[in-house]
Amino acid sequence: NRRSEQVIGRVGKALADFENSEGVVVIDGVRWRARLAGEAAAKDQTLSIIDADGMTLICEPVGAAASAP
């Protein structure tokens, strides 16, 4: 979906703690279904959007890619 692809590379905030690697991220006031690519995310944590699967955004905590070996 073009709309979800347009947010790749942006950052948002977790609306609540992610459960089973799934949750909701808010970008510019818009709620998106999201899935984590790795570690857990807590409410209000800043997440980087790294990919999209249909209308589901794939994200990781900001700084996670930089800390990977």
Side-chain angles (χ1 to χ4, degrees):
N1 184 307
R2 279 189 68 105
R3 189 167 174 215
S4 59
E5 291 173 3
Q6 292 175 347
V7 297
I8 294 172
R10 301 197 49 203
V11 295
K13 288 221 181 250
L15 186 63
D17 292 349
F18 276 51
E19 295 184 21
N20 299 319
S21 296
E22 296 186 355
V24 176
V25 64
V26 179
I27 302 170
D28 295 333
V30 178
R31 294 178 183 196
W32 291 84
R33 176 177 288 176
R35 185 170 61 237
L36 291 173
E39 58 186 90
K43 180 179 179 182
D44 293 327
Q45 187 168 5
T46 302
L47 302 171
S48 177
I49 312 308
I50 59 170
D51 201 358
D53 181 10
M55 291 297 290
T56 301
L57 303 179
I58 312 302
C59 55
E60 64 185 9
V62 169
S67 63

